[in-house]
Every structure is written in C-alpha cells, then in structure tokens.
C-alpha cells in the first residue's frame, strides 16, 4: 500500500468511499444526502490542508484522509484530520496507515498537536485505533450524535501532542 497526496484525478475514486460512509450515517455529522460537488468541496483540502489517499499496488484507492489546521489564526498550530476507508478494505490496516501518515505529515508541517473534534463514541474501532496511536479522550459531548442503530451517543474530542 502506498500513501500519497490526492490529486484532482483521484476524486472519482474517492467519492464512492465518501458517499458510502456519509450515507451510512454512523461516523460523520455530514448530511446523508451530500452530493459529489459538496463532498469534493468538503473533502479535497486547499493549502495549508492536504488530502491523502491510500492506494494498492494496482492504484485502487482503499482509503482517504484529510488534514490541516483545526482552527485559524492563533489556533492554527493544532491540526485536525478525518479518515474514510472503503468498505472492502476495512480491517486491513488502511486506517492505521493513514493515521500514521497524517501524524507524520502534521509533525513535519510543524503542528504542535492534533485534535479530532467529533469522534462518534459508537465508532469503537476508530476510538481504539486513535488511542493506540497516542490520542486520548479529553471530553465527550453527551448525546450529540444521532446514530442510526444506537440512537443518541456522545461525540469524543480526542487529542495528541506531536
């Protein structure tokens, strides 16, 4: 697997991943009826942000991540990131590889920390992965996410120094 910066030519392969994750409604606060135009605006980061893709040996996009400053101005030294993995590639280390790549990229870009603003507490595999990569839960907004199967669940704020 190779992780590299996404190009405009990657969007047609990224969109089905984004669409499937968003439509499932289990992990992001994005509108479930998001269209490709809005999805592209949301996911393909302009500088100083960056969008990455994980691709297999044949060039098939397995997953994607976006990262950049969590806030502007005096908060721009803290990065944030979001991740999506194709359904058929889950459980194969794609999320971990993207997480490690994003941490390395944010560190190289001079960020001091990374913060995830809304990790759905019902997304237990993601919470475990981020904890394994050094993130800790610094707060939870109770009942802030309406999960399609579990009902109202919390959104974790997770943080890691770089």
């Amino acid at each position: 697997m190779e992780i590299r910066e996404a190009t405009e030519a990657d969007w047609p392969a990224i969109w089905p991943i984004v669409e499937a994750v968003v439509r499932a409604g289990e992990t992001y606060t994005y509108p479930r009826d998001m269209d490709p135009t809005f999805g592209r605006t949301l996911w393909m980061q302009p500088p100083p942000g960056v969008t990455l893709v994980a691709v297999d040996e044949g060039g098939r996009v397995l997953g994607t991540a976006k990262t950049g400053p969590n806030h502007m101005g005096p908060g721009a030294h803290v990065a944030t990131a979001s991740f999506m993995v194709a359904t058929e590639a889950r459980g194969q280390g794609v999320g971990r590889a993207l997480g490690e790549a994003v941490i390395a990229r944010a560190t190289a870009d001079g960020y001091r920390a990374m913060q995830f603003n809304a990790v759905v507490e019902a997304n237990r595999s993601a919470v475990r992965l981020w904890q394994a990569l050094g993130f800790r839960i610094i707060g939870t907004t109770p009942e802030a996410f309406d999960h399609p199967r579990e009902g109202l669940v919390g959104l974790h704020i997770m943080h890691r120094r770089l």
Side-chain angles (χ1 to χ4, degrees):
M1 172 179 13
E2 174 192 4
I3 297 180
R4 61 170 173 75
E5 285 193 33
T7 67
E8 291 299 321
D10 291 315
W11 178 244
I14 294 170
W15 169 244
I17 296 169
V18 172
E19 182 180 29
V21 169
V22 170
R23 300 270 187 270
E26 297 178 354
T27 55
Y28 282 91
T29 59
Y30 302 154
R32 290 185 190 165
D33 62 351
M34 180 186 333
D35 65 45
T37 302
F38 181 65
R40 186 187 169 291
T41 300
L42 191 66
W43 200 259
M44 299 298 283
Q45 293 290 285
V50 64
T51 301
L52 303 174
V53 288
V55 297
D56 67 12
E57 302 79 31
R60 182 174 57 113
V61 176
L62 305 171
T64 181
K66 65 174 184 164
T67 187
N70 192 37
H71 293 288
M72 298 180 283
H77 61 284
V78 177
T80 192
S82 298
F83 304 84
M84 294 188 185
V85 176
T87 304
E88 65 275 8
R90 291 184 187 154
Q92 300 175 24
V94 176
R96 176 178 287 275
L98 283 166
E100 291 170 349
V102 162
I103 291 167
R105 176 67 181 251
T107 301
D109 287 348
Y111 290 99
R112 303 282 309 269
M114 183 169 282
Q115 177 177 312
F116 301 152
N117 299 314
V119 180
V120 176
E121 73 179 342
N123 189 356
R124 293 167 191 87
S125 60
V127 172
R128 280 192 305 272
L129 173 58
W130 305 140
Q131 288 174 324
L133 291 177
F135 288 84
R136 62 188 179 88
I137 298 168
I138 60 171
T140 303
T141 306
E143 299 184 349
F145 187 85
D146 192 1
H147 193 278
R149 286 189 321 280
E150 298 192 26
L152 295 176
V153 298
L155 287 175
H156 294 317
I157 302 166
M158 299 186 78
H159 181 271
R160 180 190 194 276
R161 292 190 189 281
L162 299 176

